[in-house]
């Protein structure tokens, strides 16, 4: 739902979306990566351990640090369908005790203080609601359809996006509307 909503809301001909590209969704302007989005849907609040596992060298934070190093203009986002845990929320809001706790944990997972501090500045956390996304999608589909129901269009587009995700297909707004 989130990916479909992002594409529909863009109405941009110069953005290219790649589900399962860099993270759950990569957004390019031409060939330049401009956004890397990780989408999480947990019933409990998001915590650091949702993103790092023992001995995992390719965690979300490691990949993010690499992206930030290679591309100074990329925007990295974490989208949550549930609550963002207190420690993560507070760390990114600058609460010193939480920030130090997260910093220490990430440094223990073979990251540098510089990498972690860069993420504190550049990674954005947002909570979304499935209900609100459905309303936005239905509105966008109603405005762009000349015939048919938004519900049928949503079902077909969701199936098409699922296949596109499996194949890491790059998609534009125009291609989505054609479907």
């Amino acid at each position: 739902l989130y990916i479909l909503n992002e594409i529909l809301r863009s109405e941009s001909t110069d953005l290219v979306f790649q589900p399962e590209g860099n993270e759950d969704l990569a957004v390019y302007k031409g060939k330049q990566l401009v956004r890397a989005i990780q989408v999480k849907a947990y019933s409990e609040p998001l915590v650091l351990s949702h993103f790092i596992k023992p001995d995992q060298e390719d965690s979300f934070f490691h990949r993010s640090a690499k992206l930030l190093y290679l591309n100074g203009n990329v925007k990295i986002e974490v989208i949550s369908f549930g609550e963002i845990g207190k420690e993560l929320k507070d760390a990114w809001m600058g609460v010193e005790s939480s920030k130090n706790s997260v910093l220490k944990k990430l440094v223990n997972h073979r990251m540098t203080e510089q990498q972690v501090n860069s993420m504190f500045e550049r990674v954005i956390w947002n909570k979304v609601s499935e209900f609100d996304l459905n309303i936005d999608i239905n509105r966008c589909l109603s405005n762009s359809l000349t015939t048919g129901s938004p519900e049928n269009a949503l079902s077909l587009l969701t199936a098409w996006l699922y296949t596109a995700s499996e194949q890491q297909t790059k998609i534009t707004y125009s291609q989505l509307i054609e479907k």
Side-chain angles (χ1 to χ4, degrees):
L1 275 182
Y2 181 81
I3 294 170
L4 178 58
N5 190 55
E6 283 297 299
I7 299 170
L8 285 170
R9 283 189 20 213
S10 77
E11 296 184 10
S12 174
T13 55
D14 63 341
L15 292 179
V16 178
F17 299 84
Q18 185 182 24
E20 299 300 329
N22 282 318
E23 300 310 323
D24 294 318
L25 178 62
V27 182
Y28 296 87
K29 191 168 192 168
K31 295 192 184 289
Q32 180 72 34
L33 178 67
V34 292
R35 293 170 66 203
I37 304 164
Q38 175 75 231
V39 180
K40 295 289 189 188
Y42 286 101
S43 55
E44 71 271 0
L46 281 183
V47 293
L48 197 60
S49 63
H50 289 133
F51 298 92
I52 55 176
K53 304 291 182 237
D55 301 322
Q56 182 184 22
E57 301 253 346
D58 190 32
S59 72
F60 165 75
F61 288 108
H62 288 97
R63 293 187 307 270
S64 296
K66 185 176 180 180
L67 271 177
L68 292 172
Y69 176 76
L70 295 174
N71 182 345
N73 296 322
V74 70
K75 183 176 170 185
I76 298 176
E77 300 169 58
V78 178
I79 304 300
S80 178
F81 279 86
E83 294 297 321
I84 298 167
K86 181 171 175 39
E87 181 181 53
L88 288 173
K89 190 186 311 181
D90 286 353
W92 261 262
M93 288 175 49
V95 175
E96 209 57 40
S97 59
S98 296
K99 198 171 179 178
N100 287 336
S101 175
V102 169
L103 174 72
K104 182 179 177 185
K105 291 172 186 174
L106 290 176
V107 167
N108 286 338
H109 280 276
R110 299 182 194 102
M111 297 190 71
T112 67
E113 284 190 30
Q114 182 180 1
Q115 289 173 318
V116 178
N117 286 324
S118 177
M119 284 187 281
F120 281 139
E121 294 173 10
R122 310 257 317 278
V123 174
I124 299 164
W125 300 77
N126 286 311
K127 181 184 173 204
V128 296
S129 112
E130 186 174 349
F131 179 80
D132 291 341
L133 289 177
N134 273 314
I135 289 173
D136 285 350
I137 290 168
N138 278 315
R139 182 185 41 76
C140 288
L141 291 175
S142 295
N143 292 340
S144 63
L145 292 174
T146 53
T147 62
S149 75
E151 293 80 18
N152 289 340
L154 175 60
S155 179
L156 292 170
L157 288 172
T158 302
W160 178 69
L161 272 176
Y162 179 79
T163 302
S165 293
E166 287 182 332
Q167 299 170 355
Q168 296 181 327
T169 303
K170 291 187 176 179
I171 303 164
T172 63
Y173 173 79
S174 301
Q175 289 171 318
L176 182 83
I177 294 303
E178 282 177 26
K179 292 289 177 192

